[in-house]
Coordinates of all heavy atoms in Angstrom, one line a residue:
M1 N 140.1 113.7 90.7 CA 141.0 114.5 89.9 C 140.6 114.4 88.4 O 140.3 113.4 87.9 CB 142.4 113.9 90.0 CG 143.4 114.7 89.3 SD 145.1 114.1 89.7 CE 146.0 114.9 88.5
I2 N 140.5 115.6 87.8 CA 140.1 115.6 86.4 C 141.3 115.3 85.5 O 142.4 115.7 85.7 CB 139.7 117.1 86.0 CG1 138.5 117.5 86.9 CG2 139.3 117.2 84.6 CD1 138.1 118.9 86.8
N3 N 141.0 114.4 84.6 CA 142.1 113.9 83.6 C 142.0 114.7 82.3 O 141.1 114.5 81.5 CB 141.9 112.4 83.4 CG 143.1 111.9 82.7 OD1 144.1 112.5 82.5 ND2 143.0 110.6 82.3
I4 N 142.8 115.7 82.1 CA 142.8 116.5 80.9 C 143.8 115.9 79.9 O 144.9 115.6 80.3 CB 143.3 117.9 81.3 CG1 142.3 118.5 82.3 CG2 143.3 118.8 80.0 CD1 142.8 119.9 82.8
P5 N 143.3 115.7 78.7 CA 144.2 115.1 77.7 C 145.4 116.0 77.4 O 145.4 117.2 77.5 CB 143.3 114.9 76.4 CG 142.0 115.2 76.9 CD 142.0 115.9 78.2
V6 N 146.5 115.3 77.0 CA 147.8 116.1 76.8 C 147.6 117.0 75.6 O 148.3 118.0 75.5 CB 148.9 115.1 76.6 CG1 148.9 114.4 75.3 CG2 150.3 115.8 76.8
E7 N 146.7 116.7 74.6 CA 146.5 117.5 73.5 C 146.1 118.9 73.9 O 146.4 119.9 73.2 CB 145.5 116.9 72.5 CG 145.9 115.7 71.8 CD 145.7 114.4 72.7 OE1 144.9 114.5 73.7 OE2 146.2 113.4 72.4
H8 N 145.3 119.1 74.9 CA 144.8 120.4 75.4 C 146.0 121.2 75.9 O 146.1 122.4 75.6 CB 143.7 120.2 76.4 CG 142.5 119.6 76.0 ND1 141.3 119.5 76.7 CD2 142.2 119.0 74.8 CE1 140.4 118.9 76.0 NE2 140.9 118.6 74.8
Y9 N 146.9 120.6 76.6 CA 148.1 121.3 77.1 C 148.9 121.7 75.9 O 149.5 122.9 75.9 CB 148.9 120.4 77.9 CG 148.3 120.1 79.3 CD1 147.8 118.9 79.6 CD2 148.3 121.1 80.3 CE1 147.3 118.6 80.8 CE2 147.8 120.8 81.5 CZ 147.3 119.6 81.8 OH 146.7 119.3 83.0
L10 N 149.0 120.9 74.9 CA 149.9 121.2 73.7 C 149.3 122.4 72.9 O 150.0 123.2 72.4 CB 150.1 120.0 72.8 CG 150.9 118.8 73.5 CD1 151.0 117.7 72.5 CD2 152.2 119.3 74.0
I11 N 147.9 122.4 72.8 CA 147.3 123.5 72.1 C 147.5 124.8 72.8 O 147.8 125.8 72.2 CB 145.8 123.1 71.9 CG1 145.6 122.0 70.9 CG2 145.0 124.4 71.4 CD1 144.2 121.4 70.8
V12 N 147.3 124.8 74.1 CA 147.5 126.0 74.9 C 149.0 126.5 74.8 O 149.3 127.7 74.6 CB 147.1 125.8 76.4 CG1 147.6 127.0 77.2 CG2 145.6 125.6 76.5
A13 N 149.9 125.5 74.9 CA 151.3 125.9 74.8 C 151.7 126.4 73.4 O 152.5 127.3 73.3 CB 152.2 124.7 75.1
A14 N 151.1 125.8 72.4 CA 151.4 126.3 71.0 C 150.9 127.7 70.8 O 151.5 128.5 70.2 CB 150.8 125.3 70.0
A15 N 149.7 127.9 71.3 CA 149.1 129.3 71.2 C 149.9 130.3 72.0 O 150.2 131.4 71.5 CB 147.7 129.3 71.7
L16 N 150.4 129.9 73.2 CA 151.2 130.8 74.0 C 152.5 131.1 73.3 O 153.0 132.2 73.3 CB 151.4 130.2 75.3 CG 151.9 131.1 76.4 CD1 151.0 132.3 76.7 CD2 152.1 130.3 77.7
F17 N 153.1 130.1 72.7 CA 154.4 130.2 72.0 C 154.2 131.1 70.8 O 155.1 132.0 70.5 CB 154.9 128.9 71.6 CG 156.4 128.9 71.1 CD1 157.4 128.9 71.9 CD2 156.6 129.1 69.7 CE1 158.7 128.9 71.5 CE2 157.9 129.2 69.2 CZ 159.0 129.1 70.1
C18 N 153.2 130.9 70.0 CA 152.9 131.8 68.9 C 152.7 133.2 69.2 O 153.2 134.2 68.6 CB 151.7 131.3 68.0 SG 152.1 129.7 67.2
I19 N 152.0 133.5 70.3 CA 151.7 134.8 70.8 C 153.1 135.5 71.2 O 153.4 136.6 70.9 CB 150.7 134.8 72.0 CG1 149.3 134.5 71.4 CG2 150.7 136.2 72.6 CD1 148.3 134.2 72.5
G20 N 153.9 134.7 72.0 CA 155.2 135.2 72.4 C 156.1 135.5 71.2 O 156.8 136.5 71.2
L21 N 156.1 134.6 70.2 CA 156.9 134.9 69.0 C 156.4 136.1 68.3 O 157.3 136.9 67.8 CB 156.8 133.6 68.1 CG 157.7 133.7 66.9 CD1 159.2 133.7 67.3 CD2 157.5 132.4 66.0
A22 N 155.1 136.3 68.1 CA 154.6 137.5 67.5 C 155.0 138.7 68.2 O 155.4 139.7 67.6 CB 153.1 137.3 67.3
I23 N 154.9 138.7 69.5 CA 155.3 139.9 70.3 C 156.8 140.1 70.2 O 157.2 141.3 70.0 CB 154.9 139.6 71.8 CG1 153.4 139.7 72.0 CG2 155.6 140.7 72.7 CD1 152.9 139.3 73.4
A24 N 157.6 139.1 70.2 CA 159.1 139.3 70.2 C 159.5 139.8 68.8 O 160.4 140.6 68.7 CB 159.8 138.0 70.4
I25 N 158.8 139.5 67.7 CA 159.1 139.9 66.4 C 158.6 141.3 66.1 O 159.3 142.1 65.5 CB 158.6 138.9 65.3 CG1 159.4 137.6 65.4 CG2 158.7 139.5 63.9 CD1 158.9 136.5 64.6
T26 N 157.4 141.6 66.6 CA 156.8 142.9 66.2 C 157.0 144.1 67.1 O 156.8 145.2 66.7 CB 155.2 142.7 66.0 OG1 154.7 142.3 67.3 CG2 154.9 141.6 65.0
K27 N 157.4 143.8 68.3 CA 157.6 145.0 69.3 C 158.8 145.8 68.9 O 159.8 145.3 68.5 CB 157.7 144.5 70.7 CG 156.4 144.0 71.3 CD 155.4 145.1 71.4 CE 154.1 144.7 72.0 NZ 153.1 145.6 72.1
Q28 N 158.6 147.1 69.1 CA 159.7 148.1 68.9 C 160.4 148.5 70.2 O 161.3 149.3 70.2 CB 159.1 149.3 68.2 CG 158.5 149.1 66.9 CD 159.6 148.7 65.8 OE1 160.7 149.2 65.8 NE2 159.2 147.8 65.0
H29 N 160.0 147.9 71.3 CA 160.5 148.2 72.6 C 161.3 147.0 73.2 O 160.8 145.9 73.1 CB 159.4 148.6 73.4 CG 159.7 149.5 74.6 ND1 160.1 148.9 75.8 CD2 159.8 150.8 74.7 CE1 160.3 149.9 76.6 NE2 160.2 151.1 76.0
L30 N 162.4 147.2 73.8 CA 163.2 146.1 74.3 C 162.4 145.3 75.4 O 162.5 144.1 75.5 CB 164.5 146.6 74.8 CG 165.5 147.0 73.7 CD1 166.8 147.6 74.3 CD2 165.9 145.8 72.8
I31 N 161.7 146.0 76.2 CA 161.0 145.4 77.3 C 159.9 144.5 76.7 O 159.6 143.3 77.2 CB 160.3 146.4 78.3 CG1 161.4 147.3 78.9 CG2 159.5 145.7 79.3 CD1 162.4 146.6 79.8
G32 N 159.2 144.9 75.7 CA 158.2 144.1 75.0 C 158.8 142.8 74.4 O 158.2 141.8 74.4
I33 N 160.0 143.0 73.8 CA 160.7 141.8 73.3 C 161.0 140.8 74.4 O 160.8 139.6 74.2 CB 162.0 142.2 72.5 CG1 161.6 143.1 71.3 CG2 162.8 141.0 72.1 CD1 162.8 143.7 70.6
L34 N 161.4 141.3 75.5 CA 161.7 140.4 76.7 C 160.4 139.7 77.1 O 160.5 138.5 77.5 CB 162.3 141.2 77.8 CG 163.8 141.5 77.7 CD1 164.2 142.4 78.8 CD2 164.6 140.3 77.6
L35 N 159.3 140.4 77.1 CA 158.0 139.8 77.5 C 157.7 138.7 76.6 O 157.1 137.6 77.0 CB 157.0 140.8 77.6 CG 157.1 141.8 78.8 CD1 156.0 142.9 78.7 CD2 156.9 141.0 80.1
G36 N 157.9 138.9 75.3 CA 157.6 137.8 74.3 C 158.5 136.6 74.5 O 158.0 135.5 74.4
I37 N 159.7 136.8 74.8 CA 160.6 135.7 75.1 C 160.2 134.9 76.3 O 160.2 133.7 76.4 CB 162.1 136.2 75.2 CG1 162.6 136.7 73.8 CG2 163.0 135.1 75.7 CD1 163.9 137.4 73.9
E38 N 159.7 135.6 77.3 CA 159.2 135.0 78.6 C 158.0 134.2 78.3 O 157.8 133.1 78.8 CB 159.0 136.0 79.6 CG 160.2 136.6 80.3 CD 161.1 135.6 80.9 OE1 160.5 134.7 81.7 OE2 162.3 135.6 80.8
L39 N 157.1 134.7 77.4 CA 155.9 133.9 77.1 C 156.3 132.6 76.3 O 155.7 131.5 76.6 CB 155.0 134.7 76.2 CG 154.1 135.7 76.9 CD1 153.3 136.5 75.8 CD2 153.2 135.0 77.8
M40 N 157.3 132.7 75.5 CA 157.8 131.4 74.8 C 158.4 130.5 75.8 O 158.2 129.2 75.7 CB 158.8 131.8 73.7 CG 158.2 132.5 72.5 SD 159.3 132.8 71.1 CE 160.4 134.0 71.7
L41 N 159.1 130.9 76.8 CA 159.7 130.0 77.8 C 158.6 129.4 78.6 O 158.7 128.2 79.0 CB 160.7 130.8 78.7 CG 162.0 131.2 78.0 CD1 162.8 132.0 78.9 CD2 162.8 129.9 77.6
N42 N 157.6 130.1 78.9 CA 156.4 129.6 79.7 C 155.7 128.5 78.8 O 155.2 127.5 79.4 CB 155.5 130.6 80.1 CG 156.0 131.4 81.3 OD1 156.8 130.9 82.1 ND2 155.6 132.7 81.3
A43 N 155.6 128.7 77.5 CA 155.0 127.6 76.7 C 155.9 126.4 76.7 O 155.3 125.3 76.8 CB 154.9 128.2 75.2
V44 N 157.2 126.5 76.7 CA 158.1 125.3 76.9 C 157.8 124.6 78.2 O 157.8 123.4 78.3 CB 159.5 125.8 76.7 CG1 160.5 124.6 77.0 CG2 159.8 126.3 75.3
N45 N 157.7 125.4 79.3 CA 157.4 124.8 80.6 C 156.1 124.0 80.6 O 156.0 123.0 81.2 CB 157.4 125.9 81.7 CG 158.7 126.3 82.1 OD1 159.7 125.6 81.9 ND2 158.8 127.5 82.7
I46 N 155.1 124.6 79.9 CA 153.8 123.8 79.9 C 154.0 122.5 79.1 O 153.5 121.5 79.6 CB 152.7 124.7 79.2 CG1 152.3 125.9 80.1 CG2 151.5 123.9 78.8 CD1 151.4 126.9 79.4
N47 N 154.8 122.5 78.1 CA 155.0 121.2 77.3 C 155.8 120.3 78.2 O 155.5 119.1 78.2 CB 155.8 121.5 76.1 CG 154.9 122.0 75.0 OD1 153.8 121.8 74.9 ND2 155.5 122.8 74.0
L48 N 156.8 120.7 78.9 CA 157.6 119.8 79.8 C 156.7 119.2 80.9 O 156.8 118.0 81.1 CB 158.8 120.6 80.4 CG 159.9 121.0 79.4 CD1 160.8 122.0 80.1 CD2 160.6 119.8 78.9
I49 N 155.9 120.0 81.5 CA 155.0 119.5 82.6 C 154.0 118.5 82.0 O 153.7 117.5 82.6 CB 154.4 120.6 83.4 CG1 155.5 121.4 84.0 CG2 153.4 120.1 84.4 CD1 156.3 120.7 85.0
A50 N 153.4 118.9 80.8 CA 152.4 118.0 80.2 C 153.0 116.6 79.9 O 152.4 115.6 80.1 CB 151.9 118.7 79.0
F51 N 154.2 116.6 79.3 CA 154.8 115.3 79.0 C 155.3 114.6 80.2 O 155.4 113.4 80.3 CB 156.0 115.5 78.0 CG 155.5 115.8 76.6 CD1 156.0 116.9 76.0 CD2 154.5 115.1 76.0 CE1 155.6 117.3 74.7 CE2 154.1 115.4 74.7 CZ 154.6 116.5 74.1
S52 N 155.6 115.3 81.3 CA 156.0 114.7 82.5 C 154.9 114.0 83.2 O 155.1 113.0 84.0 CB 156.6 115.8 83.5 OG 156.9 115.2 84.7
R53 N 153.6 114.4 82.9 CA 152.5 113.7 83.5 C 152.3 112.3 83.0 O 151.6 111.5 83.6 CB 151.2 114.5 83.3 CG 151.2 115.8 84.1 CD 149.9 116.5 84.0 NE 148.8 115.6 84.5 CZ 147.6 115.9 84.5 NH1 147.2 117.1 83.9 NH2 146.7 115.1 84.9
H54 N 152.8 112.0 81.8 CA 152.7 110.6 81.3 C 153.4 109.6 82.1 O 153.0 108.4 82.1 CB 153.2 110.6 79.8 CG 152.2 111.1 78.9 ND1 150.9 110.5 78.6 CD2 152.2 112.2 78.1 CE1 150.3 111.2 77.8 NE2 151.0 112.3 77.4
D55 N 154.5 110.0 82.7 CA 155.3 109.0 83.5 C 155.5 109.6 84.8 O 156.6 110.3 85.1 CB 156.6 108.7 82.8 CG 157.3 107.5 83.4 OD1 156.7 106.8 84.3 OD2 158.4 107.1 82.9
P56 N 154.6 109.4 85.8 CA 154.8 110.1 87.1 C 155.9 109.5 87.9 O 156.4 110.2 88.8 CB 153.4 109.8 87.8 CG 152.7 108.7 87.0 CD 153.4 108.7 85.7
E57 N 156.5 108.4 87.5 CA 157.6 107.8 88.2 C 158.9 108.7 88.0 O 159.8 108.8 88.8 CB 157.9 106.4 87.8 CG 156.7 105.5 88.0 CD 156.8 104.7 89.2 OE1 157.9 104.4 89.7 OE2 155.7 104.4 89.8
K58 N 159.0 109.2 86.8 CA 160.2 110.0 86.4 C 159.8 111.5 86.5 O 158.7 111.9 86.0 CB 160.6 109.7 85.0 CG 161.1 108.3 84.9 CD 161.6 108.0 83.5 CE 162.1 106.5 83.4 NZ 162.5 106.2 82.0
I59 N 160.6 112.3 87.1 CA 160.3 113.7 87.3 C 161.2 114.6 86.4 O 161.5 115.7 86.7 CB 160.3 114.1 88.7 CG1 161.7 113.9 89.3 CG2 159.3 113.5 89.5 CD1 161.9 114.5 90.7
G60 N 161.7 114.0 85.3 CA 162.6 114.7 84.4 C 162.0 116.0 83.8 O 162.7 117.0 83.8
G61 N 160.8 115.9 83.4 CA 160.1 117.1 82.8 C 160.0 118.2 83.8 O 160.1 119.4 83.5
Q62 N 159.6 117.8 85.1 CA 159.5 118.9 86.1 C 160.8 119.5 86.5 O 160.9 120.7 86.7 CB 158.8 118.2 87.3 CG 157.4 117.8 87.1 CD 156.8 116.9 88.2 OE1 157.5 116.7 89.2 NE2 155.6 116.5 88.0
L63 N 161.9 118.7 86.5 CA 163.2 119.2 86.8 C 163.7 120.1 85.6 O 164.3 121.2 85.9 CB 164.2 118.1 87.0 CG 164.0 117.3 88.2 CD1 165.0 116.1 88.3 CD2 164.2 118.2 89.5
F64 N 163.4 119.8 84.4 CA 163.7 120.6 83.3 C 162.9 121.9 83.3 O 163.5 123.0 83.1 CB 163.5 120.0 81.9 CG 164.6 119.1 81.5 CD1 164.3 117.7 81.2 CD2 165.9 119.6 81.3 CE1 165.4 116.9 80.8 CE2 166.9 118.8 80.9 CZ 166.7 117.4 80.6
A65 N 161.7 121.9 83.7 CA 160.9 123.1 83.9 C 161.4 124.0 84.9 O 161.5 125.2 84.8 CB 159.4 122.7 84.2
L66 N 161.8 123.4 86.1 CA 162.5 124.2 87.1 C 163.7 124.9 86.6 O 164.0 126.0 86.9 CB 162.7 123.3 88.3 CG 163.3 124.0 89.5 CD1 162.3 125.1 90.1 CD2 163.6 123.0 90.6
F67 N 164.5 124.1 85.8 CA 165.8 124.7 85.3 C 165.4 125.8 84.3 O 166.1 126.8 84.3 CB 166.5 123.5 84.5 CG 167.8 124.0 83.9 CD1 168.9 124.3 84.7 CD2 167.9 124.1 82.6 CE1 170.1 124.7 84.2 CE2 169.1 124.5 82.0 CZ 170.2 124.8 82.8
V68 N 164.4 125.7 83.5 CA 164.0 126.7 82.6 C 163.6 128.0 83.3 O 163.9 129.1 83.0 CB 162.9 126.3 81.6 CG1 162.3 127.4 80.9 CG2 163.4 125.2 80.7
I69 N 162.9 127.8 84.5 CA 162.5 129.0 85.3 C 163.7 129.7 85.8 O 163.8 130.9 85.8 CB 161.5 128.5 86.4 CG1 160.2 128.1 85.8 CG2 161.3 129.6 87.4 CD1 159.3 127.4 86.8
V70 N 164.7 128.9 86.3 CA 165.9 129.5 86.8 C 166.7 130.3 85.7 O 167.1 131.4 85.9 CB 166.8 128.5 87.5 CG1 168.2 129.0 87.9 CG2 166.1 127.9 88.8
V71 N 166.8 129.7 84.6 CA 167.5 130.3 83.5 C 166.7 131.6 83.0 O 167.3 132.6 82.7 CB 167.7 129.3 82.3 CG1 168.1 130.0 81.0 CG2 168.7 128.2 82.7
A72 N 165.4 131.5 83.0 CA 164.6 132.7 82.6 C 164.8 133.8 83.6 O 164.9 135.0 83.2 CB 163.1 132.3 82.5
A73 N 164.9 133.5 84.9 CA 165.1 134.6 85.9 C 166.5 135.2 85.7 O 166.6 136.4 85.8 CB 165.0 134.0 87.3
A74 N 167.5 134.4 85.4 CA 168.8 134.9 85.2 C 168.9 135.7 83.9 O 169.5 136.8 83.9 CB 169.8 133.8 85.2
E75 N 168.2 135.2 82.9 CA 168.1 136.0 81.6 C 167.5 137.3 81.8 O 168.0 138.3 81.2 CB 167.4 135.1 80.6 CG 167.2 135.8 79.3 CD 165.7 136.0 79.0 OE1 164.9 135.3 79.5 OE2 165.5 136.9 78.1
I76 N 166.4 137.4 82.5 CA 165.7 138.7 82.7 C 166.6 139.6 83.5 O 166.7 140.8 83.2 CB 164.4 138.5 83.4 CG1 163.4 137.9 82.4 CG2 163.8 139.7 84.0 CD1 163.0 138.8 81.3
T77 N 167.3 139.1 84.5 CA 168.2 140.0 85.3 C 169.3 140.6 84.4 O 169.5 141.8 84.5 CB 168.8 139.1 86.4 OG1 167.8 138.6 87.2 CG2 169.7 140.0 87.3
V78 N 169.9 139.8 83.6 CA 171.0 140.3 82.8 C 170.5 141.2 81.7 O 171.0 142.2 81.4 CB 171.8 139.1 82.1 CG1 172.8 139.5 81.1 CG2 172.5 138.3 83.2
A79 N 169.3 140.8 81.1 CA 168.8 141.6 80.0 C 168.3 143.0 80.5 O 168.5 144.0 79.9 CB 167.6 140.9 79.4
L80 N 167.7 143.0 81.7 CA 167.3 144.3 82.3 C 168.5 145.2 82.6 O 168.5 146.4 82.4 CB 166.4 144.1 83.5 CG 165.0 143.7 83.2 CD1 164.3 143.4 84.5 CD2 164.3 144.7 82.4
A81 N 169.6 144.6 83.1 CA 170.8 145.4 83.3 C 171.4 145.9 82.0 O 171.8 147.1 82.0 CB 171.9 144.5 84.0
I82 N 171.4 145.1 80.9 CA 171.8 145.6 79.6 C 170.9 146.8 79.1 O 171.4 147.8 78.6 CB 171.9 144.5 78.6 CG1 173.0 143.5 79.0 CG2 172.1 145.0 77.2 CD1 173.1 142.2 78.2
I83 N 169.6 146.6 79.3 CA 168.7 147.6 78.8 C 168.9 148.9 79.6 O 168.9 150.0 79.0 CB 167.2 147.1 79.0 CG1 166.9 146.0 78.0 CG2 166.2 148.3 78.8 CD1 165.6 145.3 78.2
L84 N 169.2 148.8 80.9 CA 169.4 150.0 81.7 C 170.7 150.7 81.2 O 170.8 152.0 81.1 CB 169.5 149.7 83.2 CG 168.2 149.4 83.9 CD1 168.4 148.9 85.3 CD2 167.3 150.6 83.8
R85 N 171.7 150.0 80.9 CA 173.0 150.6 80.4 C 172.7 151.2 79.0 O 173.3 152.3 78.7 CB 174.1 149.5 80.3 CG 174.5 149.0 81.6 CD 175.2 150.0 82.4 NE 176.4 150.4 81.7 CZ 177.2 151.4 82.1 NH1 177.0 152.1 83.2 NH2 178.3 151.7 81.4
V86 N 172.0 150.5 78.1 CA 171.7 151.1 76.8 C 170.9 152.4 77.0 O 171.1 153.4 76.3 CB 170.9 150.1 76.0 CG1 170.3 150.7 74.7 CG2 171.8 148.9 75.6
Y87 N 169.9 152.4 77.9 CA 169.1 153.6 78.1 C 170.0 154.7 78.7 O 169.8 155.9 78.3 CB 168.0 153.3 79.1 CG 167.1 154.6 79.3 CD1 166.2 155.0 78.3 CD2 167.3 155.3 80.5 CE1 165.5 156.2 78.5 CE2 166.5 156.5 80.7 CZ 165.6 156.9 79.7 OH 164.9 158.0 79.9
G88 N 170.9 154.4 79.5 CA 171.8 155.4 80.1 C 172.7 156.0 79.0 O 173.0 157.2 79.1
H89 N 173.1 155.3 78.0 CA 174.0 155.8 77.0 C 173.2 156.4 75.9 O 173.6 157.5 75.4 CB 174.8 154.6 76.5 CG 175.8 155.1 75.4 ND1 176.9 155.9 75.8 CD2 175.9 154.8 74.1 CE1 177.6 156.1 74.7 NE2 177.0 155.5 73.7
F90 N 172.2 155.8 75.4 CA 171.5 156.3 74.2 C 170.2 157.1 74.5 O 169.6 157.7 73.6 CB 171.1 155.1 73.2 CG 172.3 154.5 72.6 CD1 172.7 153.3 73.1 CD2 173.0 155.1 71.6 CE1 173.8 152.7 72.5 CE2 174.1 154.5 71.0 CZ 174.5 153.3 71.5
R91 N 169.7 157.0 75.7 CA 168.5 157.7 76.1 C 167.2 157.1 75.4 O 166.3 157.8 75.1 CB 168.5 159.2 76.0 CG 169.5 159.8 76.9 CD 169.0 159.8 78.3 NE 170.0 160.5 79.2 CZ 170.3 160.0 80.4 NH1 169.8 158.9 80.8 NH2 171.2 160.6 81.1
T92 N 167.3 155.9 75.0 CA 166.2 155.2 74.3 C 166.3 153.7 74.6 O 167.4 153.2 74.8 CB 166.1 155.5 72.8 OG1 164.9 154.9 72.3 CG2 167.3 155.0 72.1
V93 N 165.2 153.0 74.5 CA 165.2 151.6 74.6 C 164.6 150.9 73.4 O 164.2 149.8 73.4 CB 164.4 151.1 75.9 CG1 165.2 151.4 77.1 CG2 163.0 151.6 75.9
E94 N 164.5 151.7 72.3 CA 164.0 151.2 71.0 C 165.2 150.6 70.2 O 166.2 151.3 70.0 CB 163.3 152.2 70.2 CG 162.0 152.7 70.9 CD 161.3 153.8 70.1 OE1 161.6 153.8 68.9 OE2 160.6 154.5 70.7
P95 N 165.2 149.3 69.9 CA 166.3 148.7 69.2 C 166.7 149.4 67.9 O 167.9 149.4 67.5 CB 165.9 147.3 69.0 CG 164.7 147.1 69.8 CD 164.1 148.4 70.1
D96 N 165.8 149.9 67.2 CA 166.1 150.5 65.9 C 166.9 151.8 66.0 O 167.6 152.2 65.1 CB 164.8 150.8 65.1 CG 164.1 149.6 64.7 OD1 164.7 148.5 64.6 OD2 162.8 149.6 64.5
K97 N 166.7 152.5 67.2 CA 167.4 153.8 67.4 C 168.8 153.6 68.0 O 169.6 154.6 68.0 CB 166.6 154.7 68.2 CG 165.3 155.1 67.5 CD 164.6 156.1 68.4 CE 163.3 156.5 67.6 NZ 162.5 157.4 68.4
V98 N 169.2 152.4 68.4 CA 170.5 152.1 68.9 C 171.4 151.7 67.7 O 171.2 150.7 67.1 CB 170.5 151.0 69.9 CG1 171.9 150.7 70.4 CG2 169.6 151.4 71.1
S99 N 172.3 152.6 67.3 CA 173.0 152.4 66.1 C 174.4 151.9 66.3 O 175.0 151.3 65.3 CB 173.1 153.8 65.3 OG 173.7 154.7 66.1
E100 N 175.0 152.0 67.4 CA 176.3 151.6 67.6 C 176.4 151.0 69.0 O 175.7 151.3 69.9 CB 177.3 152.7 67.5 CG 177.1 153.8 68.5 CD 178.0 155.0 68.2 OE1 178.3 155.3 67.1 OE2 178.4 155.6 69.2
L101 N 177.4 150.1 69.2 CA 177.6 149.4 70.5 C 178.8 150.0 71.2 O 179.0 149.8 72.4 CB 177.8 147.9 70.3 CG 176.5 147.2 69.8 CD1 176.8 145.7 69.6 CD2 175.4 147.4 70.8
K102 N 179.7 150.7 70.4 CA 180.9 151.3 71.0 C 180.6 152.6 71.6 O 179.7 153.3 71.1 CB 182.0 151.4 70.0 CG 182.7 150.1 69.6 CD 183.8 150.4 68.7 CE 184.4 149.1 68.2 NZ 185.5 149.4 67.3
K103 N 181.4 153.0 72.6 CA 181.2 154.4 73.2 C 181.8 155.4 72.3 O 182.8 155.3 71.7 CB 181.8 154.4 74.6 CG 181.1 155.2 75.5 CD 181.6 155.0 76.9 CE 180.8 155.8 77.8 NZ 181.3 155.8 79.2

């Protein structure tokens, strides 16, 4: 088994988080923003699993990662439902063109 230092995991996770943050901030489309948020959640999962490898007796990091995956799936489900409703009302999914929330 190859022993990869934890620093390598942290570098990859930091890069993935920065890419996700840049996408979430710069995108003009709601689906793109959701993709950026998902990348940031995946970076958190990489950190949790990397730190969980230090103490194989405790599986807390792996359980937290599983919890993050479940929350991310629920978040995407609710967000896509909201995006579909916004598109049905405003005929656009660009956040800048949605000017009101009331009907």
Side-chain angles (χ1 to χ4, degrees):
M1 182 173 171
I2 300 173
N3 192 8
I4 301 172
V6 73
E7 292 86 12
H8 294 189
Y9 289 106
L10 296 179
I11 291 169
V12 169
L16 193 61
F17 190 87
C18 290
I19 291 169
L21 184 63
I23 289 172
I25 290 174
T26 61
K27 285 294 180 184
Q28 296 293 322
H29 201 270
L30 289 175
I31 302 294
I33 294 170
L34 284 175
L35 289 174
I37 292 170
E38 287 299 316
L39 281 176
M40 290 188 288
L41 288 173
N42 285 330
V44 170
N45 280 339
I46 290 173
N47 282 335
L48 288 170
I49 298 299
F51 288 128
S52 177
R53 288 188 61 184
H54 279 295
D55 193 5
E57 305 261 332
K58 296 181 182 177
I59 58 169
Q62 294 169 1
L63 291 177
F64 276 124
L66 183 62
F67 181 71
V68 169
I69 290 170
V70 170
V71 168
E75 174 242 341
I76 285 296
T77 304
V78 171
L80 285 176
I82 292 171
I83 289 171
L84 287 174
R85 295 293 296 174
V86 167
Y87 180 76
H89 183 70
F90 293 104
R91 296 288 181 221
T92 185
V93 289
E94 295 181 22
D96 293 336
K97 293 185 179 175
V98 177
S99 60
E100 61 185 33
L101 293 178
K102 288 185 182 179
K103 212 173 187 184

